[in-house]
Amino acid sequence: VDEYNNAAVEALKRGDKSKAIELYSIALNTAKLTLGENAVQVASAYNDIGSIYSSMNNYSSAVENFVKAVKENNELNSCELV
């Protein structure tokens, strides 16, 4: 999961937001498979994807991902993303 997150950060540094979303999505799916649906990494990935969509002015996709991040975060009963 970390290597995909790191690669996504590098893609963002290059300005390749589409690639960053792709890499964060891989990290998200990997986290779900390896850590389970209710993991901090799942909520974090949704948050990261939402942030990129927001920066692209794709607010409906941003909100969709932010809502998923908040839902996951609430299920974890954690304040790590807030």
Side-chain angles (χ1 to χ4, degrees):
V1 174
D2 286 340
E3 72 181 66
Y4 291 112
N5 284 332
N6 294 339
V9 169
E10 291 302 315
L12 282 175
K13 287 180 182 176
R14 292 190 310 273
D16 192 347
K17 293 178 182 180
S18 295
K19 185 67 172 179
I21 290 171
E22 177 186 333
L23 291 164
Y24 278 130
S25 295
I26 293 170
L28 170 65
N29 291 327
T30 303
K32 285 181 178 180
L33 289 173
T34 58
L35 303 171
E37 293 283 330
N38 295 324
V40 171
Q41 293 84 349
V42 172
S44 181
Y46 281 128
N47 190 63
D48 293 334
I49 293 168
S51 294
I52 297 169
Y53 278 125
S54 179
S55 74
M56 297 169 69
N57 298 326
N58 185 340
Y59 299 116
S60 61
S61 293
V63 168
E64 178 182 333
N65 281 278
F66 287 143
V67 167
K68 289 178 181 179
V70 169
K71 179 182 175 194
E72 291 296 325
N73 197 45
N74 286 341
E75 289 176 10
L76 292 166
N77 194 22
S78 169
C79 294
E80 291 189 39
L81 293 178
V82 181

